[in-house]
Amino acid sequence: MKTIGLIGGMSWESTQTYYRLINQGVKARLGGLHSARLVLYSVDFAEIEALQHRGNWAATAQILGDAARSLAAAGADFLVLCTNTMHRVAPQIEQAVDIPLLHIADATANELHRQGVTRVGLLGTRFTMEQAFYHERLEAQGIEVLVPDAAQRERVHTVIYDELCRGEIRADSKAEYLEIVASLAGQGAQGVILGCTEIGLLIHADDTEVPLFDTTAIHAEQAVEAALATKLDFATPYRLT
């Protein structure tokens, strides 16, 4: 079994979901008392969030690059960055170490391809929905991406930072999110990506008629597959053998 290096804390609420799902996945595949070999570096999210909203991505890249180097030194065989938004600096993280990064957008694209989805809605932070780093990676793999309108994007973003990242789950926010999901489905989305690792805390597959693709669950599942694979190949699209 390979050792997984988790870069977490963005937020810790979703990082604990990664930890649980990865260990459950290893146990399901290997049985008995098996659990995952992993090392975790958990950052102070307040520091990261402040830099995000100031647009100081270089400073966030430095922090996460240092985290990646610590995990590599601790024996990690590959990295899992437990957040969608901070894949904004995935290239800088990859440059900081000699071990590969399992990119969350690639993991998601793999699952979309598996289910034959070629047109998908995307929910996430304003950075994820509006900047190119995420949807262009999906589009390069033949997946058309739809995002909510400006007012809806602002609401999705606000709920993530002001509620979900603080562990607050509100029924009115859930209802608003479901309306936005329905709107994307009405525009032809075959499914909707929950492109923030906290959104799965608020809405779930049985809440909607259109399929939801929870990036936390997808990323964790493919991290398990990578840890148990005989060979790693994280090219885009990557393969596990």
Side-chain angles (χ1 to χ4, degrees):
M1 190 192 312
K2 298 171 189 65
T3 299
I4 305 168
L6 299 180
I7 304 178
M10 298 165 283
S11 65
W12 68 261
E13 283 87 357
S14 61
T15 301
Q16 66 178 349
T17 303
Y18 270 92
Y19 184 81
R20 174 176 55 81
L21 291 176
I22 289 171
N23 279 290
Q24 287 175 341
V26 169
K27 180 180 179 181
R29 286 162 175 79
L30 299 182
L33 296 176
H34 283 288
S35 56
R37 289 187 179 133
L38 60 82
V39 287
L40 168 64
Y41 190 112
S42 189
V43 302
D44 179 0
F45 187 42
E47 182 179 6
I48 297 291
E49 185 272 340
L51 293 168
Q52 288 175 341
H53 285 90
R54 290 203 297 268
N56 191 348
W57 298 102
T60 66
Q62 182 63 49
I63 292 168
L64 298 184
D66 288 344
R69 282 185 283 269
S70 293
L71 292 171
D77 293 301
F78 67 95
L79 297 173
V80 172
L81 178 58
C82 303
T83 162
N84 285 270
T85 296
M86 292 316 302
H87 279 76
R88 168 72 167 71
V89 297
Q92 295 93 313
I93 294 171
E94 291 173 313
Q95 291 169 9
V97 291
D98 293 328
I99 59 175
L101 171 73
L102 176 58
H103 198 292
I104 198 168
D106 293 345
T108 302
N110 280 347
E111 182 61 20
L112 295 173
H113 287 147
R114 189 182 71 81
Q115 298 197 30
V117 173
T118 58
R119 194 178 200 208
V120 69
L122 174 62
L123 301 182
T125 66
R126 186 169 62 243
F127 313 114
T128 300
M129 291 185 288
E130 295 179 358
Q131 296 183 16
F133 71 93
Y134 202 94
H135 65 78
E136 283 189 354
R137 194 156 182 131
L138 294 174
E139 289 164 354
Q141 299 182 58
I143 298 164
E144 181 182 358
V145 179
L146 306 175
V147 297
D149 65 33
Q152 292 172 330
R153 293 197 301 270
E154 186 59 34
R155 182 58 183 151
V156 170
H157 180 91
T158 299
V159 168
I160 290 168
Y161 281 95
D162 291 353
E163 298 173 24
L164 301 181
C165 287
R166 301 171 187 267
E168 183 178 347
I169 309 298
R170 295 178 47 173
D172 57 338
S173 296
K174 178 173 182 175
E176 288 181 275
Y177 265 56
L178 293 178
E179 289 179 4
I180 295 169
V181 168
S183 174
L184 291 167
Q187 298 173 51
Q190 298 166 282
V192 174
I193 297 171
L194 307 186
C196 174
T197 51
E198 281 78 28
I199 297 178
L201 303 172
L202 183 66
I203 61 174
H204 311 95
D206 57 1
D207 292 324
T208 68
E209 294 183 7
V210 66
L212 300 180
F213 295 93
D214 184 344
T215 54
T216 303
I218 292 168
H219 206 196
E221 180 180 4
Q222 293 188 32
V224 171
E225 294 177 5
L228 300 179
T230 57
K231 180 182 178 182
L232 294 177
D233 182 357
F234 286 1
T236 304
Y238 76 88
R239 299 177 299 280
L240 299 173
T241 59

